[in-house]
Amino acid sequence: MAQNKTFTGRDIGIDLGTANTLVYVRGRGIVLNEPSVVAVSTTDGSVLAVGSEAKETIGRTPSNIVAVRPLRDGVIADFEIAERMLRHFIKKVTGNRRLARPRVVVCVPSGITGVERRAVMEAASQAGARQVHLIEEPMAAAIGAGLPVSEPTGCMVVDVGGGTTEVAVVSLGGMVTARSVRMAGDAMDAAITAHVKKRYALAIGERTAEEIKVSIGSAVPVGVWSAPGGTPARLSERNVEVVSTARSGEGLSLDKGDKGDTPERADAFGVLATGDRLGTGEDPERTQTLLPPDRCTIRGRDQVTGLPKVLELTADEVRHALAEPVDSIVAAVRATLDETPPELAGDIMDRGIVLTGGGALLRGLDVRLSRELDIPVLVADDPLDCVALGTGRCVEDFESLRTVLDARPRGLAGARI
């Protein structure tokens, strides 16, 4: 019994994402959150770095080193590198114990093929898992967001990840209708890169494009932005310098020394923010500004002269560059609603749509969906961790949630033996 308890205590859930991989260990919570990047030597094929260290090398490697992202559009693109990455992460969380072969629950997109499912299961088995179970990302996101997935009511979740956007309607522990489109965070970064290249003949890397998206990207022209949880937005790195109109004295500020009437400004929902940030009750003395950064300075290579160049981008430009991927996400949600049974559609009207994933943090995406669909749209409390938390719930309550998992086929188990 003690040995069995030791084994089950090491069971882990893996959110194998295109951009980041999160690992949940039973009884410990999320213990690892690192980029899905591997730095490989082209000389002998050895792995030089995995995760955060490997991401630092993107766009900065010499000719004998290449930074590889083994997952593209939510599925494994490079099986051998993905297996090495999984082996590294599993070893990192379980230690060097010889008998540490955990039972693993892995998230996969809802639209992947049987061959792609088998590739994920085989990679996890090769990495050291004694048992592999799969759960579809929309279901894991719904569980992690705290939705009542086992009740006979309709819940709609939109998980905007790095490679895919998963849209699903969940009821009675299963997905009634689902749609997976390969248009998400990576497509947004590519759209920004293409816009800067086409309009300004400036070449920028994918890391710079991501920094632009995080700094000033938006889905609608929002008048008042606030970071999730009332915290400041993540500052960009050295290739992007954020500039705010409020910082230069042109915008609306609520510094400690402000006097007179409290300024008012309507947010995207038409709610007046008077003296606090979006009416959350935050102390105005701690609020530096109600305005978002409206432009940023980027650095890249001029394709005409071949020399480094500095360029200033505005938030409006970035929003127009993101129009195509955002429109695709809206169209996917609309198409899924069109296939939803009427009774469940009524439940969704009452409960609203829940946004999860890193793409849910794009400013104004919830507002855009709500306006287009005329349905309340809410962002989950921890959108970045929802899928991993849902996977962890399956690990913690394996028997009660086993119905939402795909057990490993016996043929695969026999082949492994």
Side-chain angles (χ1 to χ4, degrees):
M1 287 294 292
Q3 185 179 5
N4 186 47
K5 183 176 180 181
T6 303
F7 270 118
T8 57
R10 288 196 293 264
D11 292 348
I12 63 177
I14 301 177
D15 174 14
L16 190 61
T18 305
N20 296 283
T21 296
L22 286 77
V23 178
Y24 184 107
V25 176
R26 182 177 183 182
R28 295 170 57 191
I30 298 175
V31 298
L32 185 143
N33 182 356
E34 294 198 24
S36 303
V37 184
V38 181
V40 182
S41 171
T42 57
T43 305
D44 55 4
S46 61
V47 174
L48 303 178
V50 180
S52 301
E53 294 180 3
K55 186 175 182 181
E56 294 295 326
T57 68
I58 293 180
R60 300 188 175 102
T61 57
S63 58
N64 63 325
I65 300 176
V66 59
V68 180
R69 297 179 63 182
L71 289 99
R72 289 288 179 183
D73 299 329
V75 297
I76 293 178
D78 191 320
F79 178 84
E80 182 180 355
I81 300 300
E83 183 267 324
R84 292 187 183 185
M85 183 182 72
L86 279 174
R87 184 183 299 275
H88 172 84
F89 289 151
I90 291 176
K91 183 178 179 180
K92 191 171 183 178
V93 300
T94 59
N96 295 319
R97 290 168 293 187
R98 295 180 58 187
L99 298 178
R101 290 182 59 84
R103 178 169 57 191
V104 176
V105 178
V106 185
C107 284
V108 294
S110 60
I112 67 172
T113 64
V115 174
E116 292 167 339
R117 283 175 176 266
R118 188 181 182 93
V120 174
M121 298 173 73
E122 183 70 15
S125 297
Q126 295 273 11
R130 79 175 190 275
Q131 256 184 31
V132 182
H133 300 273
L134 302 184
I135 180 173
E136 294 177 321
E137 287 181 5
M139 178 62 72
I143 295 173
L147 300 180
V149 297
S150 300
E151 297 180 6
T153 57
C155 304
M156 189 170 194
V157 61
V158 180
D159 179 52
V160 187
T164 60
T165 295
E166 308 286 330
V167 188
V169 176
V170 180
S171 179
L172 286 174
M175 293 194 300
V176 179
T177 180
R179 186 174 296 265
S180 177
V181 294
R182 298 188 176 184
M183 186 72 70
D186 288 348
M188 296 179 189
D189 298 341
I192 294 174
T193 303
H195 170 79
V196 174
K197 181 178 180 180
K198 180 179 179 180
R199 182 164 183 177
Y200 299 104
L202 187 73
I204 60 175
E206 58 181 71
R207 290 184 63 188
T208 301
E210 182 183 6
E211 292 161 17
I212 295 171
K213 177 185 67 178
V214 171
S215 301
I216 62 172
S218 65
V220 292
V222 184
V224 180
W225 291 349
S226 67
T231 59
R234 179 172 68 85
L235 294 179
S236 56
E237 299 183 22
R238 63 187 181 94
N239 287 333
V240 177
E241 180 182 351
V242 177
V243 182
S244 173
T245 54
R247 191 178 304 169
S248 60
E250 302 171 7
L252 175 65
S253 63
L254 288 179
D255 293 332
K256 186 172 181 179
D258 288 346
K259 297 180 180 180
D261 295 335
T262 302
E264 297 182 354
R265 188 178 182 93
D267 66 0
F269 297 94
V271 179
L272 290 178
T274 59
D276 61 355
R277 180 177 297 177
L278 294 180
T280 58
E282 185 177 344
D283 186 357
E285 294 185 356
R286 297 176 57 192
T287 305
Q288 297 300 318
T289 177
L290 284 177
L291 285 183
D294 65 346
R295 60 186 184 273
C296 66
T297 302
I298 63 174
R299 298 169 179 85
R301 189 187 73 250
D302 193 322
Q303 293 188 305
V304 177
T305 64
L307 300 175
K309 181 181 178 181
V310 178
L311 176 69
E312 187 175 87
L313 283 182
T314 66
D316 288 338
E317 281 186 273
V318 177
R319 186 177 68 254
H320 289 305
L322 295 175
E324 183 177 352
V326 171
D327 289 344
S328 298
I329 294 173
V330 174
V333 179
R334 189 187 300 275
T336 306
L337 283 171
D338 187 53
E339 299 172 356
T340 303
E343 294 292 340
L344 296 181
D347 294 338
I348 295 171
M349 283 291 297
D350 293 335
R351 308 181 72 93
I353 300 173
V354 177
L355 280 178
T356 65
L361 300 178
L362 180 69
R363 299 173 181 87
L365 181 59
D366 52 343
V367 180
R368 172 71 183 278
L369 286 171
S370 181
R371 288 177 180 175
E372 293 276 353
L373 307 173
D374 198 23
I375 296 177
V377 179
L378 309 172
V379 180
D381 291 336
D382 297 309
L384 287 169
D385 299 339
C386 275
V387 175
L389 291 173
T391 310
R393 281 281 307 278
C394 294
V395 171
E396 299 282 359
D397 305 323
F398 183 81
E399 295 301 328
S400 60
L401 293 174
R402 190 164 188 169
T403 56
V404 305
L405 302 175
D406 291 333
R408 185 170 60 169
R410 292 185 179 182
L412 181 60
R416 290 294 306 134
I417 294 174

